[in-house]
Amino acid sequence: MKSVRFFILTLTLLLLAGCAAPAAPAAEPCRYELAAMDTFMTLTIYGLPDEEAQAVLQQAAARIHQLEELLSVTSEDSEIYKANHAGGEAVSLSADTRELLSEALALCRDTDGALDVTIYPVVRAWGFTTGDYRVPEEAELATLLEKVDDTQARLDGNRLALPEGMELDLGAVAKGWTGDRLMELFREAGAASAIVELGGNVQALGARPDGSPWRVAVQAPEGGYAGALEIADKAVITSGGCQRYFEQDGVTYCHIIDPATGRPARTGLASVTVVADRGVRGDGLSTALFVMGRERAEAYWREHPGFDFILLGEDGTAAITEGLEDCFSLCGAWEDRPLEIIRK
Ligand code: AMP
Ligand code: MG
């Protein structure tokens, strides 16, 4: 009998709330919680009068649901579902889906296919969409992989054509993209600072109302926290084997698939946390670097400026890129472990 364990880690990164500033009237937070995109979300904004803040948060929640409806891989009304079932015909996309897909395809190419948004048939075969987990045979994976190749997706203006049988899954980038849209919305509404937690993604507008950085906790694979990160105006996005997985015959299978093999990525990493200016890039890269493993991730980082990362190894090791040297520290059970700094 296979034993199945499944859970979506809602808060891979938790705000260390103990650091809240003393309440000045303008710095009162206004908070909104919702469940969407298969996870639990918290949106917090500061610096707006209460009624205005409530209205902005309602708009933000509506925007999240709107994006979820466009991008869902399972809802028959979504644009992604329609594109996946168009039998090789071109379909028209909304501006949101087109822009996200265009960014995602660029990241797929840039990461040499470690990120591949056409991975859906393989993700489904492992049961990660339905929770009906199974380990597919090699032959089945080989057949499914024939349909996995992001370079075959044709995006021309707002028209998308996928070869018959190819199916998109934007799950690796959708929440990061959504975070970017929320930051835009909050900025335009005049919020002085804001922070959102979208499952394992945290994204901040500005610093905390008192000007100090946000403190974001990085979760340890065994539970609890491994480290704390101080950031402002950044997306902090984690991909990890423990976020969604199942076990069979003593082997753990995680939801991040190596497109080269069709099998869950196993490179010795427990999690990758990317710190980037934009959520969509942080989200795409956290998934891609998890697939690449440490050596390739380091090489990619050296060639592509503008982001940093934290690697937690399955063997209990921790490493960060040099840009995080002054803003990250290990904590909890990880506090006394060595922290390796990866340099250019
Ligand atoms: P994330 O949690 O952002 O790392 O995204 C993981 C999700 O993206 C999975 O649940 C799949 O739906 C999808 N996915 C898995 N492997 C890949 C991959 N190599 N490239 C793109 N999407 C993937
Ligand atoms: Mg991702």
Side-chain angles (χ1 to χ4, degrees), residues 157-169:
N158 72 339
R159 303 282 290 167
L160 167 69
L162 300 173
E164 197 162 2
M166 183 170 279
E167 292 180 78
L168 293 175
D169 172 1

Side-chain angles (χ1 to χ4, degrees), residues 100 104 107 115 117 169-178 279-280 283-284 287:
L100 169 54
L107 277 169
L115 185 76
V117 289
D169 172 1
L170 295 178
V173 285
K175 291 205 293 285
W177 168 262
T178 301
V280 67
D283 205 353
T287 310

Side-chain angles (χ1 to χ4, degrees), residues 115 170-176 201 237-239 243 256 279-288:
L115 185 76
L170 295 178
V173 285
K175 291 205 293 285
N201 295 15
I237 298 184
T238 296
S239 286
Q243 287 178 327
I256 301 174
V280 67
R281 186 171 189 226
D283 205 353
L285 288 184
S286 66
T287 310

Side-chain angles (χ1 to χ4, degrees), residues 250-300:
V251 183
T252 303
Y253 299 95
C254 80
H255 68 133
I256 301 174
I257 304 291
D258 181 348
T261 62
R263 305 181 67 82
R266 286 232 60 180
T267 59
L269 294 177
S271 71
V272 177
T273 299
V274 172
V275 183
D277 290 335
R278 297 170 60 235
V280 67
R281 186 171 189 226
D283 205 353
L285 288 184
S286 66
T287 310
L289 301 188
F290 187 86
V291 169
M292 288 181 192
R294 174 154 175 181
E295 210 173 302
R296 276 178 72 197
E298 281 189 32
Y300 181 89

Side-chain angles (χ1 to χ4, degrees), residues 2-308:
K2 79 179 178 181
S3 84
V4 171
R5 285 179 70 191
F6 168 75
F7 70 102
I8 301 169
L9 203 69
T10 52
L11 300 175
T12 304
L13 294 152
L14 290 176
L15 300 177
L16 297 179
C19 319
E28 280 294 341
C30 195
R31 192 164 285 129
Y32 193 100
E33 294 179 350
L34 69 155
M37 299 184 172
D38 268 343
T39 194
F40 183 72
M41 302 183 170
T42 307
L43 321 177
T44 310
I45 61 175
Y46 296 80
L48 289 178
D50 196 48
E51 250 176 54
E52 226 175 283
Q54 295 286 357
V56 173
L57 289 174
Q58 295 281 351
Q59 271 178 46
R63 185 81 170 107
I64 291 169
H65 288 304
Q66 178 202 22
L67 291 174
E68 180 177 29
E69 277 161 29
L70 286 177
L71 304 174
S72 164
V73 79
T74 48
S75 156
E76 294 186 12
D77 294 326
S78 83
E79 284 189 357
I80 295 302
Y81 189 95
K82 285 177 187 152
N84 287 351
H85 294 85
E89 297 292 314
V91 297
S92 295
L93 301 179
S94 64
D96 279 321
T97 310
R98 174 173 52 79
E99 281 169 33
L100 169 54
L101 181 59
S102 153
E103 293 234 27
L105 289 173
L107 277 169
C108 292
R109 278 151 214 186
D110 214 36
T111 58
D112 212 9
L115 185 76
D116 190 324
V117 289
T118 65
I119 197 74
Y120 188 56
V122 179
V123 171
R124 182 177 45 212
W126 286 89
F128 284 110
T129 322
T130 54
D132 216 353
Y133 300 113
R134 55 191 277 275
V135 178
E137 299 286 337
E138 280 303 325
E140 182 185 351
L141 289 176
T143 307
L144 292 173
L145 281 173
E146 287 169 14
K147 298 292 180 194
V148 175
D149 178 4
D150 59 83
T151 64
Q152 301 284 313
R154 292 271 158 266
L155 183 61
D156 185 9
N158 72 339
R159 303 282 290 167
L160 167 69
L162 300 173
E164 197 162 2
M166 183 170 279
E167 292 180 78
L168 293 175
D169 172 1
L170 295 178
V173 285
K175 291 205 293 285
W177 168 262
T178 301
D180 290 334
R181 304 288 71 76
L182 297 179
M183 295 302 115
E184 252 170 30
L185 200 157
F186 296 155
R187 197 178 295 116
E188 281 162 16
S193 56
I195 192 150
V196 298
E197 299 168 50
L198 314 177
N201 295 15
V202 172
Q203 193 162 350
L205 172 70
R208 284 159 27 103
D210 67 0
S212 64
W214 301 100
R215 280 171 62 78
V216 177
V218 177
Q219 190 162 42
E222 69 277 10
Y225 304 128
L229 184 63
E230 295 195 333
I231 51 112
D233 259 326
K234 296 279 182 210
V236 181
I237 298 184
T238 296
S239 286
C242 65
Q243 287 178 327
R244 194 181 293 209
Y245 65 95
F246 68 98
E247 284 172 10
Q248 184 171 304
D249 300 330
V251 183
T252 303
Y253 299 95
C254 80
H255 68 133
I256 301 174
I257 304 291
D258 181 348
T261 62
R263 305 181 67 82
R266 286 232 60 180
T267 59
L269 294 177
S271 71
V272 177
T273 299
V274 172
V275 183
D277 290 335
R278 297 170 60 235
V280 67
R281 186 171 189 226
D283 205 353
L285 288 184
S286 66
T287 310
L289 301 188
F290 187 86
V291 169
M292 288 181 192
R294 174 154 175 181
E295 210 173 302
R296 276 178 72 197
E298 281 189 32
Y300 181 89
W301 172 75
R302 290 198 175 92
E303 282 167 21
H304 298 82
F307 77 97
D308 279 287

